[in-house]
């Protein structure tokens, strides 16, 4: 593909954004950028430093010390704190909660904005997050808002945790999901919401392959209209 295409995929936790985005990017041979991993790495940094991720002032104070970077290799995107690969460590429920908490602070969002924009400046990519279509890449060539019922998303997340060898009861996963939804949607800065020009895709009841195909159809349709 010779034209630049930046695909912004936003939506709540557990809607399948990252798996779908990764597959779509690989199908198109373009970069996949998971912005949630950046917030997760910042959250992990705070936990390790003994700082309450919900404490905006304390977080702001150490933020300049956080050296987070995304690198791409044969395994796809890896996330680093300094030179330590924390790609697996950021996936725990504690890191998820910390990520959601730090992401509510304007100072954190501001700090991470240029890094995200820079990555999408000259390369076609699929970038997923909460505010990609609304804030990070408002002029993306294609925006998709991916969602599903909260029970459905909690079920998927529960299976994912089981596969990872860290099972959690459904009620806990559901409660966590609802708490994160509320925090991500109600924060004053860059809340989770659908951009006006984003295609809405509700994947409730969809198998993963169906969701991937549905997104690919939207993408192909857009590419045809671009050429
Ligand atoms: O997509 P995820 O679950 O890995 O994201 C982790 C947290 O980071 C999530 O609770 C919301 C936050 N986040 C955000 O505020 N903005 C983004 N662009 C991506 C993630």
């Amino acid at each position: 593909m010779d034209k630049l295409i930046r695909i912004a995929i936003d939506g709540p936790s557990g809607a399948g954004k990252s798996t779908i985005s990764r597959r779509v990017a690989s199908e198109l041979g373009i970069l996949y950028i998971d912005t949630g991993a950046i917030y997760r790495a910042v959250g992990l940094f705070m936990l390790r430093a003994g700082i309450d991720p919900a404490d905006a002032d304390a977080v702001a104070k150490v933020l300049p010390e956080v050296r987070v970077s995304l690198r791409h290799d044969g395994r796809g995107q890896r996330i680093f704190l300094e030179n330590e690969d924390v790609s697996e460590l950021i996936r725990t429920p504690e890191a998820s909660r910390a990520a959601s908490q730090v992401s509510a602070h304007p100072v954190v969002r501001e700090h991470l904005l240029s890094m995200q924009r820079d990555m999408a400046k000259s390369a076609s990519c699929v970038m997923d997050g909460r505010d990609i279509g609304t804030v990070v890449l408002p002029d993306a060539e294609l925006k998709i808002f991916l969602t599903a019922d909260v029970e459905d998303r909690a079920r998927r997340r529960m299976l994912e945790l089981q596969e990872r060898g860290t099972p959690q009861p459904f009620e806990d996963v559901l409660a966590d999901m609802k708490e994160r939804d509320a925090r991500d949607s109600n924060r004053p800065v860059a809340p989770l919401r659908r951009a006006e020009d984003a295609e809405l895709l509700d994947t409730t009841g969809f198998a993963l392959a169906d969701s991937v195909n549905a997104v690919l159809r939207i993408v192909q349709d857009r590419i045809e209209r671009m050429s």
Side-chain angles (χ1 to χ4, degrees):
M1 204 171 15
D2 30 344
K3 278 202 182 130
L4 193 69
I5 181 165
R6 289 153 312 154
I7 303 172
I9 301 197
D10 291 301
S13 309
K17 290 186 308 287
S18 53
T19 314
I20 293 170
S21 302
R22 188 176 303 112
R23 296 237 188 128
V24 169
S26 127
E27 197 77 27
L28 298 172
I30 61 178
L31 206 59
Y32 165 52
I33 303 168
D34 165 14
T35 62
I38 311 173
Y39 289 94
R40 285 170 178 271
V42 174
L44 177 67
F45 180 98
M46 299 304 156
L47 292 179
R48 283 176 163 182
I51 288 163
D52 175 4
D55 183 339
D57 291 340
V59 167
K61 215 181 252 170
V62 296
L63 203 54
E65 292 166 31
V66 186
R67 303 261 174 273
V68 56
S69 57
L70 287 181
R71 304 178 197 173
H72 290 82
D73 67 13
R75 289 177 297 172
Q77 173 184 290
R78 310 296 298 176
I79 180 104
F80 286 76
L81 273 178
E82 297 276 357
N83 278 322
E84 179 191 2
D85 185 337
V86 292
S87 309
E88 273 80 37
L89 291 171
I90 57 167
R91 299 291 158 194
T92 63
E94 294 73 34
S96 299
R97 195 164 312 118
S100 175
Q101 290 172 322
V102 293
S103 73
H105 307 316
V107 64
V108 173
R109 306 204 70 85
E110 190 56 39
H111 187 75
L112 300 177
L113 189 58
S114 54
M115 173 183 172
Q116 297 171 77
R117 283 194 178 145
D118 280 353
M119 298 195 72
K121 209 153 54 191
S122 50
S124 287
C125 64
V126 179
M127 187 179 268
D128 83 355
R130 302 293 188 289
D131 61 338
I132 310 305
T134 49
V135 177
V136 180
L137 303 177
D139 56 351
E141 282 69 27
L142 173 61
K143 301 177 187 177
I144 298 176
F145 193 83
L146 205 63
T147 187
D149 282 355
V150 68
E151 273 86 12
D152 216 58
R153 292 187 280 117
R155 240 184 321 273
R156 294 181 202 170
R157 180 51 55 89
M158 188 182 67
L159 292 175
E160 217 176 276
L161 289 167
Q162 256 166 26
E163 277 167 22
R164 238 181 247 144
T166 52
Q168 295 256 321
F170 179 72
E171 286 65 35
D172 291 4
V173 180
L174 182 63
D176 233 43
M177 192 73 83
K178 285 185 176 166
E179 186 194 317
R180 278 221 278 161
D181 276 1
R183 196 168 30 231
D184 295 346
S185 308
N186 298 327
R187 66 184 178 215
V189 198
L192 170 66
R193 67 173 177 80
R194 174 186 169 196
E196 269 169 28
D197 51 350
E199 307 262 353
L200 178 66
L201 183 61
D202 185 335
T203 66
T204 305
F206 279 29
L208 183 62
D210 297 335
S211 306
V212 172
N213 287 334
V215 171
L216 276 173
R217 268 197 300 276
I218 297 174
V219 172
Q220 293 302 355
D221 186 57
R222 181 60 51 97
I223 290 173
E224 272 163 32
R225 281 193 279 136
M226 278 168 69
S227 52

